[in-house]
Amino acid sequence: MLNKLDTRATFIAIMHSLAFFLIAYLIIWFLKDLTTVLIANGLEIPTVWYYHRIDFMIPQSFWNADLVKLTFSGAPVISLILALLCLVAYYSVMDLDGILKLVFLWGFIHGWTGFFGSVFVGTLTNTGFGHVVTWLYLNDTARLTTNLVSLFMLFFGGFIIARPTLISANYYLNFLPDQSRNRFLLAQAILPAIIGLGMLVLLRIPASFEDQMIPFTALLVILPIFMRRYHFPEMYFDNKPIVLRLEWIYVILAIIFTLIFRLIFEFGIRSGH
């Protein structure tokens, strides 16, 4: 009856989770940026879509309050919708012992930070969603409140998925006692996030500092998961024998998605008039 990860199982868990971290990020990124491009084109704003930014091909003087609010709010809103859909999907499959469910777990985290991280960073730096806040003419108190609420919600996301994250151990273990939780969370959440975020920084060069910071707010979601690791009783899963092997198909898919991400959007995709 497996109740802790050995060195080999830890490596496998890190590789699986890192693969799904990247896959989920690229899916969320594609859908939220596609939303921005579609909204902009619907407003007759031509765009050039790169892997690290979207250029809006209109003079600065053409922007007005309505254009700004519609254009820059679409991506965060679709991110939140995707996060909630991933959360519902994960809750429906978290008791199953398959590994594919991790795409929903990381999808929730990336979608959640795609909204609340964008609000938090954007309001601080007056970029991205911060343009919407600026055109709403919020006073300093309202802006501070917006920042504090978004910060709270980032932490709250971690509280929501703390127990579901521990339950994901059922792919590797029959039983998750307290003494095994540090190593499991290190392999399933903490190291994949740190390594994945480092890869995203390199992958998205020369993205602006502000845009690079948004994915890092995922660490504020992961922190409460680690803080609450002992708040739940010992978890017993299926007693069937577990034979672990590295699922290379998902690692390969992550590599393919990453290469497609860079190669297709390297020179920009133009759309609109």
Side-chain angles (χ1 to χ4, degrees):
M1 186 173 182
L2 289 176
N3 63 2
K4 64 179 180 180
L5 297 177
D6 58 19
T7 301
R8 175 176 173 273
T10 299
F11 173 76
I12 291 174
I14 292 171
M15 292 299 293
H16 285 164
S17 194
L18 177 59
F20 285 111
F21 174 98
L22 293 172
I23 291 170
Y25 174 83
L26 292 172
I27 291 172
I28 297 293
W29 167 85
F30 175 80
L31 292 174
K32 73 180 184 65
D33 274 18
L34 177 62
T35 299
T36 299
V37 168
L38 291 176
I39 291 174
N41 291 171
L43 296 171
E44 298 185 352
I45 301 174
T47 58
V48 183
W49 183 4
Y50 296 97
Y51 65 89
H52 62 287
R53 72 176 190 271
I54 297 174
D55 286 344
F56 302 97
M57 310 305 291
I58 58 173
Q60 193 73 24
S61 59
F62 279 30
W63 289 102
N64 58 51
D66 290 336
L67 288 181
V68 169
K69 292 173 188 176
L70 289 170
T71 303
F72 290 98
S73 62
V77 170
I78 197 66
S79 293
L80 181 59
I81 293 172
L82 291 170
L84 296 176
L85 290 175
C86 285
L87 183 64
V88 171
Y90 184 78
Y91 264 89
S92 68
V93 300
M94 68 178 179
D95 292 323
L96 304 179
D97 58 5
I99 194 67
L100 189 58
K101 63 188 177 184
L102 285 182
V103 74
F104 297 122
L105 184 62
W106 283 116
F108 168 77
I109 293 174
H110 290 311
W112 198 252
T113 58
F115 181 79
F116 292 106
S118 293
V119 175
F120 180 68
V121 173
T123 305
L124 279 178
T125 61
N126 290 321
T127 59
F129 189 81
H131 295 310
V132 178
V133 175
T134 299
W135 281 87
L136 288 173
Y137 301 107
L138 300 181
N139 59 31
D140 290 342
T141 301
R143 292 175 69 92
L144 178 60
T145 301
T146 300
N147 269 119
L148 292 176
V149 170
S150 59
L151 183 62
F152 169 80
M153 291 303 295
L154 287 167
F155 279 103
F156 181 66
F159 281 86
I160 292 174
I161 60 166
R163 181 174 176 273
T165 301
L166 291 174
I167 291 176
S168 68
N170 63 359
Y171 181 81
Y172 302 101
L173 304 172
N174 302 116
F175 167 49
L176 183 63
D178 287 350
Q179 61 267 28
S180 298
R181 297 185 182 186
N182 283 347
R183 190 180 184 95
F184 170 71
L185 288 177
L186 189 69
Q188 187 79 315
I190 298 172
L191 284 179
I194 293 173
I195 297 170
L197 289 169
M199 293 175 68
L200 290 181
V201 168
L202 297 176
L203 183 65
R204 300 176 69 238
I205 291 174
S208 67
F209 173 78
E210 294 80 5
D211 283 344
Q212 293 279 31
M213 285 303 299
I214 293 173
F216 275 85
T217 59
L219 296 176
L220 299 177
V221 180
I222 293 172
L223 179 60
I225 299 174
F226 186 75
M227 292 169 56
R228 300 195 71 203
R229 64 195 184 281
Y230 299 134
H231 286 219
F232 308 101
E234 294 181 334
M235 297 180 178
Y236 293 85
F237 310 124
D238 200 318
N239 283 328
K240 70 180 183 180
I242 295 176
V243 179
L244 290 179
R245 67 180 187 277
L246 182 58
E247 300 287 351
W248 282 103
I249 182 63
Y250 301 119
V251 176
I252 293 171
L253 279 176
I255 295 172
I256 291 173
F257 281 13
T258 302
L259 291 175
I260 291 173
F261 167 79
R262 276 304 298 262
L263 293 175
I264 291 182
F265 294 95
E266 175 74 26
F267 302 104
I269 296 178
R270 295 179 178 272
S271 61
H273 300 291

